């Protein structure tokens, strides 16, 4: 860690900081420059977090050298992790395709959507029972009944299922019905929920918040791993910017940026990532071309009547068309569906 | 609501949409233009939310005429609301000053901070027991012990107290100790928590998320009011932008923009809103000058040793200096401390 | 155009606005709702721009129905445009690859870079003579001497060349040496420059500003077409967001969003779009997979000594590797290099 | 400057970098840590800009210690600068008020606006002759005729005038008519224009670009000072964010952040900074309360018919009301109008 002192800082200030650094077991380094005094701290600088040095009146800025996460980082775990959701591996040579409706609406709708996406080649089923909605007047999901429907459909078809949980209280209800929890973008920093899923072993798809920096996403994942659960898949799903031509801007480069820093698999959600049906397929292809380990796509038997997110849902025909083009793109970079 | 059809939409598409609008009790209006067909829907367009018209394949865009919130809006409630936190009114002629440490660290620290801020003129005490932190390795707050300390200090000094709750599960623990719940920026769209605080009558300070649009903040407040609790104070605390010279960019104009739309009182948190100690006082003054109903300021007896947010905490001397300048600014716009 | 009046607007206000709309030859439509009066204006609403209705005290908001651009839009020109830069077509079945150093540094450097990129399969040469730099202390380009070098190398190798122009005054100097002008991101709204290049027929690569909305990019292109020059290629090169893990966030979906609105070809610059050497190849592949008509890549014989943008420049070996993977991705979506 | 090497960097890489640093006259410092090697460079690190060390394959990141600007910074020029525009000083105890119409439309409009703002207490007159507009179909200003009108009105009333210049070519035309040039937000990084105004002595109001970081604004000002013109006033006028409830988000804290780094005066433009007439007065008050040295406000005799920016223009009555409240706010912080 590099601590830059203010121009008016005294030698006494520097000595005090050097003592505090040394007391934590790091090796302090005094570097007097012409215009600023700089203090280095060699060693595991994460323990310095406790000192909150940025709050010291003599400190101008603090520049960490090491990433603030450990368990999710590549420094201690250089090789890629492969996470299993039921029998499906994410992070290996094969690209995972998770598909299904935004919300579970009825047994008929969920069953039909499931058959449609599996026939087209999807390998994991998604469906939302608890729907976090911006407006209290929007459809909030079927809740426990939705979980039952999703679980029953998945079991009948022999496919793993994933659903979003909003709260630690949802885990018990969801556990028997799904093979994987999803933590949605709005809950990426719901630390109670992160700790709760960290205490089990069920895999977790952790979505990046729409305004979360990549470092914040990795620290959120660190919460889960720090509790003992290594089975985390990260998901880029679009970030919020100044342009609202699309619902979000899908940060395709995040796939590369995350993989440069972390061993965890990374998938992409082009449905939320664009919010526009016609953009889903090209962006799914782009995600695979950039190195994503999978995609998560919203598919509804009849998007015009969907109770949520119809504008970004594909119908069965559109999803089949997408699947036909994903294989060649995967092959172009040496992977397969 | 105005529904713009795609150029290739047919008369049949338009008729179908007109029928669906009429079936919900609104008056549809057909407006064929040279380049686009436009359909109007007159009446309470919020019921159209259910139709999810943006998902219809013939629809290019949907433009609401009315705000999507009702209870927090000024259309049905034109005059300003005044919310009481203990004996302190927020939203009237007097400016409220909420102050205290970011985190409760010990009885001595909390007690000293409380005495310092009350002597300087603060009227509500703050202190965090549950601390949501980006990194799992950072100080997470004293939890229940922190609530006890805060409650005891506040009772002894006869001042109302506010603390952040992270989860519906925290309400029971916090209830006996505080007069007001705070919902932090990261939880602004924790809809379970919003509903939970909405079911009581205890006032709630709802902070704007760092990337929440004002409409999203108002819809979050709508969740609380829709459950029956009208006692909501909104809080601007800085938004996330492309510049990280300050921790956040304090959106001072949000005070005016919110008040133009909502009857709820608005306060400002210049501590989180800037993240820099030296910026807190000028921004507190700016907030008052722009019409804020109060400010919330972090004060710590010794910021250099604070366990969290030391860099943005004032010490007692700095807080007294700030308080001396707030009065004249309030007077300049016809209000008082 | 839809004009929503304020709740307190009178029938007199509405009549005045209706008269002003009618006087411009549009058909006004009066739609009194329960909570708001709405006025429609049918016809070519672009003439309403002159009325600046949003400034009227009785107007709450103005919602355009049509896009504000005409010449670049698809409404009047539905089929894709193909633009020629020398013998190279952009916008057809083949993907264009524009490559070369960020800045022309010397005849040797430019010549070597040119040979390297052409051997690897690039078809258009790039090199900057005028470099807009954030700091006055950074290398500002060789100016006229750089143009001479670029032109001479391109002629000798028989390949079209493109260079950035900063100012109308640069056109005369650049004209004899290059086949295409580039307008950089910082100049996207330099309207004098847009008009100047619009008065010729030389093709123009217009880069999206780092904080320009897609509509603003299209309006900037409209300036060029409105002056008479139809030969415009649009270029996505990354936008500014809250995360600075990469220099910019490459908005890959912009390729699709622009093509949905405009007939102009769209290329992508993954070098500026990421600012990180290791991210260039995956993002170039993503751009092609999403439907871009070409990519523009910075290549330097020795990036470690480059005078500008070394951190994002590929060396010859890395560029050859990239080119080998682009072909299969193009083939996967039915195109070719 | 602190140079962090990649984990796989060799001792040979470090030695090479140390040699390059030493060759430029700085003192290199080798700091081998457990997980990363760090190299320090003590001395005037701005000369290292030339080395473009971030482009070196062994370098993970480069962290500057010093600001990249010198002339505008406080390190070498700790006390506040006071800049004179005609007889009006900006940066001293008195708050400057610059007012007038967005665009010069006619002698009658300009003359009336001028009389109105001067009677209300403004001390500098503004009026645009060259209008940069997003759409080619919007009013582009009267050009040279507008300059004549502005100059004549200002001379007759004995008040200094400021107008926006878009291009070095405008300076000759504008010079006889105005006392100060304004460089607009879109041109903040038009480096040719910055250099051109830097070669004279006429004061320059430099507006922050809507997506410019404060460091970029200061570097843009550095261009002007580096050419020899010290008479620069910086202007905050709103930044672009994810929320478009207001046209821009006025970054009031930028006043404090700039003053912490630079000795130049800072003014605020609440008209562009909000884009909404009703928000101008509260934000002008907020700017003064935060320490701004002046405000620039758009005033039009009849905003409903203004040819540009009517929605954010005050009329004479509203401006008089604003002026009456600014004095007490200035007095509250020990300044005066």
């Amino acid at each position: 860690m590099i601590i830059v002192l203010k121009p008016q800082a005294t030698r006494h200030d520097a000595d005090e900081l050097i003592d505090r650094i040394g007391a934590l077991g790091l090796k302090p380094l005094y570097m007097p420059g012409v215009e600023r005094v700089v203090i280095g701290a060699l060693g595991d600088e994460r323990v310095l977090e406790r000192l909150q040095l940025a709050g010291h009146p003599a400190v101008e800025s603090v520049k960490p050298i090491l990433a603030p996460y450990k368990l999710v980082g590549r420094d201690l775990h250089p090789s890629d992790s492969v996470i299993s959701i039921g029998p499906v591996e994410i992070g290996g040579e094969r690209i995972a395709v998770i598909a299904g409706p935004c919300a579970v609406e009825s047994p008929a709708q969920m069953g039909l959507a499931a058959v449609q996406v599996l026939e087209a080649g999807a390998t994991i089923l998604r469906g939302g029972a608890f729907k976090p909605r911006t407006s209290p007047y929007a459809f909030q999901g079927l809740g426990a009944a939705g979980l039952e429907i999703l679980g029953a459909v998945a079991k009948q078809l022999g496919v793993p299922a994933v659903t979003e949980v909003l709260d630690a209280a949802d885990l018990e209800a969801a556990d028997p019905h799904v093979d994987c929890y999803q933590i949605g973008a709005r809950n990426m920093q719901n630390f109670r929920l992160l700790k709760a899923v960290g205490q089990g072993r069920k895999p977790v798809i952790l979505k990046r918040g729409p305004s979360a920096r990549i470092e914040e996403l990795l620290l959120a994942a660190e919460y889960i791993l720090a509790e003992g659960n290594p089975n985390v898949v990260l998901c880029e799903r679009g970030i919020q910017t100044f342009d609202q031509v699309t619902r979000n801007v899908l940060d395709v480069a995040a796939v590369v940026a995350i993989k440069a820093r972390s061993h965890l698999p990374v998938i992409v959600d082009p449905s939320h990532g664009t919010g526009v049906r016609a953009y889903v397929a090209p962006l799914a292809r782009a995600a695979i071309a950039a190195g994503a380990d999978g995609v998560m796509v919203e598919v509804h038997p009849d998007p015009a009547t969907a109770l949520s997110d119809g504008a970004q849902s594909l119908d069965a025909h559109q999803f089949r068309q997408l699947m036909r083009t994903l294989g060649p793109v995967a092959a172009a970079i040496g992977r397969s569906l």
Side-chain angles (χ1 to χ4, degrees), chain A residues 5-63:
Chain A
L5 302 193
K6 290 183 180 165
Q8 63 272 28
T10 63
R11 177 72 217 215
H12 176 78
D13 292 320
D15 286 344
E16 184 204 327
L17 289 162
I18 285 171
D19 286 351
R20 291 174 70 182
I21 291 165
L24 281 177
L26 282 86
K27 187 178 156 213
L29 200 60
Y30 179 68
M31 294 177 278
V34 180
E35 303 182 46
R36 293 284 187 290
V37 168
V38 173
I39 294 172
L42 305 182
D44 183 0
E45 62 190 28
R46 292 176 193 92
V47 305
L48 291 180
E49 178 89 24
R50 271 186 270 153
L51 289 189
Q52 291 268 324
L53 293 176
H56 193 286
V59 171
E60 183 171 280
S61 63
V62 170
K63 299 171 195 287

Side-chain angles (χ1 to χ4, degrees), chain A residues 16-333:
Chain A
E16 184 204 327
L17 289 162
I18 285 171
D19 286 351
R20 291 174 70 182
I21 291 165
L24 281 177
L26 282 86
K27 187 178 156 213
L29 200 60
Y30 179 68
M31 294 177 278
V34 180
E35 303 182 46
R36 293 284 187 290
V37 168
V38 173
I39 294 172
L42 305 182
D44 183 0
E45 62 190 28
R46 292 176 193 92
V47 305
L48 291 180
E49 178 89 24
R50 271 186 270 153
L51 289 189
Q52 291 268 324
L53 293 176
H56 193 286
V59 171
E60 183 171 280
S61 63
V62 170
K63 299 171 195 287
I65 302 297
L66 301 178
Y69 41 80
K70 276 182 151 173
L71 303 172
V72 306
R74 282 208 185 266
D75 278 355
L76 299 182
H77 188 313
S79 65
D80 289 353
S81 285
V82 176
I83 306 297
S84 294
I85 299 180
V88 181
E89 291 191 337
I90 303 193
E93 180 267 342
R94 290 189 64 189
I95 305 291
V97 178
I98 305 168
C102 176
V104 180
E105 298 172 9
S106 70
Q109 172 254 16
M110 187 67 224
L112 181 52
V115 168
Q116 289 173 337
V117 301
L118 295 178
E119 280 185 356
T123 46
I124 301 177
L125 198 59
R126 62 152 288 155
F130 307 111
K131 301 303 306 172
R133 302 301 296 275
T134 303
S135 165
Y137 306 122
F139 175 63
Q140 311 266 324
L142 296 185
L147 292 172
E148 300 263 356
I149 295 171
L150 174 66
V153 168
K155 276 190 188 67
Q156 200 179 344
L157 296 168
V159 62
V162 56
T163 204
E164 181 170 355
V165 287
L166 301 187
D167 198 289
D170 294 339
L171 298 185
E172 203 179 339
D175 183 56
H177 302 294
V178 297
D179 305 88
C180 176
Y181 299 129
Q182 176 185 313
I183 295 185
R186 285 190 188 84
N187 273 316
M188 191 199 84
Q189 291 192 320
N190 183 333
F191 302 116
R192 293 280 173 81
L193 180 56
L194 297 174
K195 288 180 182 174
V197 298
Q199 281 155 14
R201 300 286 293 182
K202 190 164 285 207
V204 179
I205 295 176
L206 177 63
K207 288 191 148 188
R208 179 184 183 188
S211 62
R213 283 189 275 266
I214 284 171
E215 186 172 294
E216 292 170 318
L217 170 63
L218 294 177
L219 281 166
E222 186 87 0
Y223 264 94
I224 303 174
L225 272 74
E227 292 289 326
N229 187 350
N231 299 310
V232 175
V233 174
L234 302 173
C235 181
E236 161 64 30
R237 46 75 75 202
I239 58 174
Q240 183 161 270
T241 76
F242 55 85
D243 200 350
Q244 270 111 41
V245 125
T246 46
R247 184 170 169 181
N248 295 290
V249 166
L250 191 67
D251 184 4
V252 177
V255 173
V256 191
I258 294 169
K259 284 182 167 286
R261 289 162 176 76
S262 173
H263 54 88
L264 296 173
V266 184
I267 65 172
V268 167
D269 172 352
S271 302
H272 287 89
T274 63
V276 183
R277 186 179 302 135
Y279 299 7
V280 171
L283 272 295
R285 289 192 283 268
I288 302 303
D293 296 307
V295 289
M296 179 182 260
V297 179
E298 289 189 354
V299 181
H300 192 284
D302 183 11
T305 66
L307 294 181
S308 68
D309 282 350
Q312 71 196 31
S313 292
L314 302 186
D315 64 22
H317 174 68
Q318 292 159 338
F319 183 65
R320 279 195 301 272
Q321 283 187 305
L322 164 61
M323 290 300 288
R324 274 199 286 273
T325 65
L326 281 190
V329 174
I333 58 160

